Amino acid sequence: MATFQFDLLDLPPEAQALRDEVRAFLTTTVGDRAGHRRARSWGGFDREFSRKVGERGWIGMMWPKKYGGHERSALERYVVLEEMLAAGAPVSAHWVADRQSGPLLLRFGTEAQRERFLPRIARGELAFAIGMSEPDSGSDLASIRTRAEPVTGGYRVNGTKVWTSNAHISDYMIALFRTRVVPDKKHEGLSQFLVDTKTPGITIRPIIDLAGGHHFNEVVFQDAFVPEDMRVGEEGNGWKQVSTELAFERSGPERYLSSIQLVIETIREVGQEPGERAAVTVGRLVAHLATLRQMSLSVAGMLQAGQNPNLEAAVVKDVGTSFEQEIPETVHALLGVEPRLGSGSQFERTLGYLVQHAPSFSLRGGTREILRGIIARGLGLR
Ligand SMILES: Cc1cc2nc3c(=O)[nH]c(=O)nc-3n(C[C@H](O)[C@H](O)[C@H](O)COP(=O)(O)OP(=O)(O)OC[C@H]3O[C@@H](n4cnc5c(N)ncnc54)[C@H](O)[C@@H]3O)c2cc1C
């Protein structure tokens, strides 16, 4: 049977200096935010904050300098990401572009696309959304039906995307469309496009989430024109590309740190001298965090070494999202404090936010069952 391995690694000495810099920056920019606002984790959207992060050189950190990048290592990038998440910084306006849209353009985009988009992403000026899921195609992404028909100078697009996070406040979306129907071969004939969200023929409607918030959307295309030069990669190469994009999407520390603010509030709540039960619970949470961090860091190390850690990233996402999803229930059982919204203590409100949002942690970016299928395939079990 195939197997996988997470090699332990130590961060290089320069990482500590960078960590101190990022912490100092975060203290001045987001230091006074309340726990329940920090709990939004990578969901907080603030363009001004993203511009400041861009000015510091912390977006597109690994990209070539000629595209506005900074040619730093995956491990240095990891330090920036984990500090941002630990502080609950509002990173969402640059997160998707930095994590997956930019790297996708670097790998598959044209030179003109790289020159046009990457420097602006690295400056924190462009927000990207992900246009993959459709009303009848989530896990079975290859069954998407949104058509991009070739017309003079480009493509005419018709169809509907759903659950498109931040589409209403993003500048562009990387979308997967069907450019050709190949009977009985659903993985063929797919292509990716850079879509300007202001394109005529695109209607973006809110989908209100379980917690009453608006972050995702339904995006309807009615004869929307997308120019030829906005196609990313070869026509028909979309499935391979989207698989690469999903690997970028799944490999980061945001897949186990979504409930970190609640861990912090719990430690504050149980105080300096916790009872035995509290000490055991907090000890378990911290031990899990430390282990997941080593695994996640190991994935960053593999990326740095030019490997393709798809399997390991899927393992971290599966174990990590299960962990971050369990935290609200674990601390609720420990402290018996009820979750609250709108008013209440920092702890109650942070718990309130996370009780409502935790169910989605194992859905976004690919469900648990799908990840386990990927892991099984990677191990040669299916
Ligand atoms: C907070 C959040 C943000 C999101 N943001 C975006 C976004 O920005 N862009 C975007 O494109 N999408 C986004 N999504 C959509 C997300 O990718 C899908 O919800 C996810 O892929 C599952 O698809 P689905 O909802 O259609 O469920 P389905 O695919 O219908 O799955 C329903 C259930 O069946 C299970 N299942 C399905 N197929 C199998 C199988 N073969 N074997 C075993 N079990 C199976 C699933 O695991 C799941 O439990 C977001 C989702 C959430 C929750």
Side-chain angles (χ1 to χ4, degrees):
M1 188 176 92
T3 184
F4 54 81
Q5 189 170 326
F6 290 93
D7 290 326
L8 295 182
L9 58 86
D10 293 320
L11 289 169
E14 60 271 21
Q16 189 53 46
L18 177 61
R19 188 183 299 287
D20 295 342
E21 256 182 76
V22 180
R23 281 192 183 169
F25 167 81
L26 289 169
T27 303
T28 53
T29 48
V30 296
D32 55 355
R33 285 186 189 221
H36 67 278
R37 288 189 64 207
R38 292 165 180 252
R40 298 195 65 191
S41 187
W42 44 293
F45 190 102
D46 179 342
R47 283 186 183 265
E48 195 43 43
F49 176 78
S50 291
R51 280 201 195 89
K52 287 184 189 155
V53 176
E55 272 166 27
R56 298 303 297 260
W58 296 331
I59 304 175
M61 284 180 76
M62 295 166 63
W63 307 348
K65 287 190 178 163
K66 69 171 174 167
Y67 302 126
H70 304 280
E71 299 184 6
R72 299 187 80 161
S73 70
L75 299 179
E76 287 175 297
R77 177 168 182 266
Y78 191 91
V79 166
V80 172
L81 297 189
E82 70 174 353
E83 288 301 324
M84 295 276 168
L85 294 167
V91 293
S92 186
H94 67 267
W95 197 257
V96 166
D98 177 58
R99 175 182 73 186
Q100 64 194 81
S101 319
L104 186 86
L105 293 178
L106 253 186
R107 190 171 296 190
F108 299 107
T110 61
E111 191 55 24
Q113 288 169 349
R114 292 183 194 141
E115 285 172 3
R116 179 172 164 198
F117 292 103
L118 295 179
R120 293 186 63 199
I121 292 176
R123 288 200 298 271
E125 293 171 4
L126 289 184
F128 273 66
I130 306 164
M132 295 187 194
S133 307
E134 296 189 5
D136 299 314
S137 309
S139 302
D140 185 15
L141 185 59
S143 68
I144 60 153
R145 287 181 303 187
T146 297
R147 280 300 311 271
E149 286 173 83
V151 292
T152 310
Y155 295 82
R156 187 175 49 229
V157 183
N158 282 287
T160 303
K161 296 284 170 187
V162 279
W163 317 124
T164 324
S165 301
N166 292 339
H168 60 305
I169 40 179
S170 293
D171 305 289
Y172 290 90
M173 169 197 302
I174 300 267
L176 183 69
F177 300 140
R178 191 166 293 286
T179 41
R180 249 179 318 127
V181 177
V182 185
D184 299 327
K185 292 194 173 157
K186 61 184 179 181
H187 296 86
E188 294 181 18
L190 300 172
S191 306
Q192 283 190 301
F193 291 86
L194 268 155
V195 179
D196 183 336
T197 53
K198 308 286 181 303
T199 304
I202 296 183
T203 310
I204 302 177
R205 300 194 191 106
I207 301 178
I208 302 305
D209 68 20
L210 179 74
H214 172 206
H215 96 274
F216 39 43
N217 302 272
E218 176 189 66
V219 183
V220 180
F221 297 79
Q222 283 171 308
D223 288 335
F225 177 74
V226 179
E228 171 85 33
D229 64 3
M230 295 288 260
R231 196 186 67 229
V232 182
E234 296 291 312
E235 191 280 325
N237 197 36
W239 185 252
K240 181 179 161 215
Q241 292 178 198
V242 92
S243 306
T244 309
E245 188 187 335
L246 282 165
F248 293 138
E249 182 173 350
R250 291 169 180 156
S251 62
E254 69 269 39
R255 300 304 178 180
Y256 73 96
L257 285 173
S258 306
S259 300
I260 185 71
Q261 300 308 323
L262 190 55
V263 177
I264 294 169
E265 291 300 328
T266 302
I267 292 171
R268 218 192 303 278
E269 194 77 5
V270 301
Q272 295 287 320
E273 292 182 20
E276 192 182 334
R277 209 169 132 239
V280 168
T281 304
V282 169
R284 273 183 196 277
L285 291 177
V286 173
H288 274 105
L289 268 174
T291 309
L292 279 160
R293 178 168 185 264
Q294 283 297 345
M295 292 167 70
S296 177
L297 203 50
S298 174
V299 170
M302 290 180 231
L303 289 173
Q304 178 66 28
Q307 296 163 13
N308 191 6
N310 277 355
L311 172 59
E312 290 81 358
V315 172
V316 177
K317 182 178 184 288
D318 182 32
V319 184
T321 53
S322 296
F323 168 69
E324 59 184 17
Q325 214 162 41
E326 281 164 17
I327 292 172
E329 195 43 52
T330 304
V331 302
H332 179 242
L334 171 70
L335 295 170
V337 176
E338 292 308 319
R340 290 173 72 106
L341 303 169
S343 62
S345 70
Q346 279 308 311
F347 179 82
E348 290 165 330
R349 294 183 73 184
T350 307
L351 181 61
Y353 182 89
L354 283 163
V355 161
Q356 286 195 317
H357 287 82
S360 71
F361 296 167
S362 60
L363 301 176
R364 56 187 186 186
T367 66
R368 180 171 286 133
E369 290 73 20
I370 294 308
L371 288 166
R372 290 186 182 171
I374 293 170
I375 295 165
R377 195 174 302 115
L379 293 176
L381 298 172
R382 66 189 279 253

